[in-house]
């Protein structure tokens, strides 16, 4: 990869243009004290489940399936659902915010999801240390993919950057990522009311 390509990459734009929302998520995690007790953690996991249902909804788009070659290993809603069952939590049916969104916006949602999977290594350790959860009970949604987290992330970023999207499409990817961050933040707050 040349330096000029790296400077113009969509992944770099996404990182830079969603940095404030990413930082807000960190602040939200600290304020929410996710690992204080099982109830706090369950609220986080419930928000994670609803978010992942929205992300996985876009996996059915033909353009997404054509671009991302390993979709079958991505997505964590089923893991989050099993964790919620471990925690005796009920889920409600929900209207998916990703219904009807286009290919480019969908990529933004997936970017946020995959970034959170990469960052979940720290959260997984916290769930183990503070709550005694594991990849088999309570913290499946935070566990690593069968492949190493960083490898799966790099593969996604490489495919994203090779998509040859127009400027308008890139802008839509950024907008989709912003929507995804906003959705997760709002969904999490609503589970804590």
């Amino acid at each position: 990869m040349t330096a000029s390509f790296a400077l113009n990459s969509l992944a770099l734009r996404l990182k830079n243009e969603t940095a404030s929302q990413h930082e807000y998520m960190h602040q939200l995690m600290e304020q929410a004290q996710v690992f204080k007790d099982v109830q706090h953690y369950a609220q986080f996991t419930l928000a994670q489940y609803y978010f992942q249902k929205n992300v996985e909804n876009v996996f059915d788009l033909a353009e997404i399936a054509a671009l991302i070659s390993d979709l079958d290993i991505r997505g964590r809603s089923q893991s989050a659902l099993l964790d919620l069952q471990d925690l005796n939590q009920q889920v409600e049916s929900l209207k998916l915010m990703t219904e009807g969104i286009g290919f480019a916006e969908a990529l933004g949602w997936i970017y946020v999801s995959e970034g959170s999977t990469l960052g979940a290594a720290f959260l997984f350790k916290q769930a183990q240390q503070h709550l005694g959860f594991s990849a088999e009970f309570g913290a499946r949604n935070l566990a690593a993919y069968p492949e190493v987290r960083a490898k799966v992330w790099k593969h996604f970023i490489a495919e994203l950057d090779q998509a040859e999207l127009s400027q308008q499409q890139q802008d839509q990817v950024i907008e989709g990522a912003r929507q995804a961050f906003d959705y997760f933040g709002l969904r999490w707050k609503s589970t804590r009311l």
Side-chain angles (χ1 to χ4, degrees):
M1 181 187 312
T2 65
S4 62
F5 178 77
L7 290 174
N8 294 318
S9 78
L10 177 54
L12 186 58
R13 268 197 74 193
L14 279 158
K15 180 179 179 181
N16 290 337
E17 295 183 34
T18 62
S20 62
Q21 288 176 292
H22 189 253
E23 179 56 31
Y24 175 69
M25 285 298 121
H26 282 293
Q27 293 171 9
L28 192 59
M29 287 289 293
E30 288 178 19
Q31 293 168 3
Q33 299 180 318
V34 172
F35 303 103
K36 178 182 178 181
D37 56 37
V38 172
Q39 186 57 38
H40 281 74
Y41 175 76
Q43 292 167 341
F44 166 75
T45 305
L46 190 59
Q48 182 82 294
Y49 169 75
Y50 291 132
F51 176 72
Q52 287 297 319
K53 288 297 283 185
N54 273 280
V55 172
E56 290 169 28
N57 181 56
V58 303
F59 288 3
D60 293 335
L61 293 173
E63 301 96 329
I64 294 292
L67 177 65
I68 303 173
S69 60
D70 58 355
L71 269 182
D72 59 316
I73 68 163
R74 298 179 187 273
R76 292 175 283 149
S77 72
Q78 189 57 36
S79 296
L81 181 60
L82 292 171
D83 290 339
L84 290 166
Q85 290 171 355
D86 292 340
L87 305 173
N88 297 313
Q89 298 291 313
Q90 300 295 315
V91 299
E92 301 172 3
S93 60
L94 73 156
K95 181 181 184 305
L96 295 172
M97 298 299 295
T98 54
E99 263 324 311
I101 69 169
F103 163 65
E105 283 178 292
L107 284 175
W109 279 78
I110 296 171
Y111 170 84
V112 174
S113 175
E114 291 305 312
S116 72
T117 300
L118 183 65
F122 172 75
L123 302 179
F124 185 60
K125 288 178 184 175
Q126 295 293 304
Q128 290 174 307
Q129 291 172 1
H130 296 284
L131 300 171
F133 293 156
S134 69
E136 291 77 38
F137 184 91
R140 295 173 188 85
N141 79 98
L142 299 175
Y145 286 132
E147 302 260 356
V148 179
R149 288 178 205 266
K151 181 179 177 182
V152 175
W153 169 252
K154 288 176 184 174
H155 182 81
F156 168 70
I157 292 303
E159 291 185 325
L160 182 66
D161 282 339
Q162 293 166 9
E164 298 182 2
L165 301 177
S166 68
Q167 185 65 43
Q168 181 182 11
Q169 288 175 311
Q170 288 190 31
D171 293 345
Q172 290 170 343
V173 175
I174 303 292
E175 181 56 31
R178 289 179 175 146
Q179 290 170 7
F181 274 118
D182 287 347
Y183 176 84
F184 185 79
L186 290 171
R187 176 52 70 174
W188 192 4
K189 285 181 180 179
S190 73
T191 65
R192 295 163 57 205
L193 296 177

